[in-house]
Amino acid sequence: MWSNSSNSAPFLLTGFPGMETTHRWISIPFFTVYVSIIFGNGTLLFLIKNDHSLHEPMYYFLAMLATTDLGVTLTTMPTVLGVLWLNQREIGHGICFSQAYFIHTLSIVESGVLLAMAYDRFVAICNPLRYTTILTNSQVIKIGIVVLMRAALSIMPIIVRLHWLPYCHSHILSHAFCLHQDVIKLACSNITFNRLYPVVVVFAMVLVDFLIIVFSYVLILKTVMGIASGEERAKALNTCVSHICCILVFYVTVVGLTFIHRFGKHVPHVVHITMSYVYFLFPPLMNPVIYSVKTKQIQNGFLRMFSHHKTGA
């Protein structure tokens, strides 16, 4: 009877404990960041779609990255703002599990897209003569589908199992959105599979992705160092700068969040919560900024877009 009654009760989301009176003020920077993410990534997608000079594999992968970042933001934003603005803490099990599924899936998708972008730079620099024949439009679509399916299928087992677990603890989650590792703490049955499987997924995908990216850049650097002209070397490396910055932003936040969760038992809880928001908000906020600042083709695209609007007006 306790499992039936507890399973029917909704989970309770948590904002910033002890700071409830300032939630409305805290929501201002959150809302500003959310709007910036939507505007930045949305503008990037609009530009890539409408500027034919950007219809190349490198920018198709960038569009995938921007779409993933928008997905993460739109998945977390409703419940976070609901808690901060309206104190809307209750969330049904189905909605909670769905949110957790999309959050974790999109995190793995982001890692996969960064790997695909590394492959694009590897082919462009190490095998430039075959670039257009290797990375055709159909090949880019296939890579995108594989990246998406890999993430979607790998996360499915642990989320499906959440529906069958009994929940007998407080039902209070520690964030304003649902995470798998947060939900399983409330379960009162054997959760060994749900504890071990995500570790295997992270090591088999995110860590392997990172190692392959590092290896690809070792080969890229080796090829670039073999170029006689210093100007050509600089030009080749410059095409990788934006991607390297995005890799650092993503993986540094991953490592930071992991260290806080694993070794920060005595760190104030607000630090854990803040790091979670940094993990979900910082890469989507920075990626369009990095590419807008560091990529000349994107800058030229913006100039063409604004000049077109001015002449049209």
Side-chain angles (χ1 to χ4, degrees), residues 86-116:
L86 308 171
N87 197 33
Q88 186 67 44
R89 295 183 60 197
E90 290 190 359
I91 184 168
H93 289 202
I95 296 173
C96 181
F97 300 155
S98 298
Q99 186 183 47
Y101 174 73
F102 284 111
I103 286 173
H104 293 297
T105 296
L106 290 169
S107 294
I108 295 177
V109 168
E110 180 130 358
S111 177
V113 172
L114 289 172
L115 175 60

Side-chain angles (χ1 to χ4, degrees), residues 162-234:
L162 291 179
H163 289 273
W164 304 102
L165 293 174
Y167 300 96
C168 60
H169 295 300
S170 65
H171 278 63
I172 298 175
L173 300 169
S174 58
H175 297 84
F177 46 82
C178 290
L179 296 174
H180 167 262
Q181 62 266 31
D182 216 8
V183 173
I184 60 170
K185 291 177 184 176
L186 308 181
C188 19
S189 64
N190 191 334
I191 56 171
T192 303
F193 175 78
N194 283 66
R195 283 193 180 279
L196 296 180
Y197 183 83
V199 176
V200 174
V201 169
V202 169
F203 273 94
M205 294 186 187
V206 178
L207 182 61
V208 170
D209 287 353
F210 178 72
L211 292 175
I212 295 173
I213 289 170
V214 170
F215 180 67
S216 69
Y217 269 103
V218 169
L219 297 178
I220 287 171
L221 195 59
K222 185 179 177 182
T223 302
V224 169
M225 290 300 104
I227 299 174
S229 167
E231 187 179 339
E232 289 297 316
R233 281 201 300 267

Side-chain angles (χ1 to χ4, degrees), residues 205-283:
M205 294 186 187
V206 178
L207 182 61
V208 170
D209 287 353
F210 178 72
L211 292 175
I212 295 173
I213 289 170
V214 170
F215 180 67
S216 69
Y217 269 103
V218 169
L219 297 178
I220 287 171
L221 195 59
K222 185 179 177 182
T223 302
V224 169
M225 290 300 104
I227 299 174
S229 167
E231 187 179 339
E232 289 297 316
R233 281 201 300 267
K235 186 178 178 182
L237 285 174
N238 194 51
T239 64
C240 302
V241 170
S242 300
H243 180 236
I244 292 170
C245 291
C246 289
I247 290 168
L248 291 174
V249 165
F250 178 73
Y251 284 103
V252 166
T253 54
V254 168
V255 171
L257 184 63
T258 302
F259 267 82
I260 284 289
H261 279 305
R262 298 295 179 197
F263 307 109
K265 293 180 181 178
H266 302 294
V267 174
H269 184 59
V270 69
V271 176
H272 287 259
I273 295 173
T274 303
M275 274 304 299
S276 295
Y277 286 117
V278 169
Y279 171 72
F280 289 113
L281 297 178
F282 191 59

Side-chain angles (χ1 to χ4, degrees), residues 31 47 76 194 236 251 261 294 297:
F31 183 70
L47 181 64
T76 56
N194 283 66
Y251 284 103
H261 279 305
K294 293 290 184 181
Q297 292 91 327

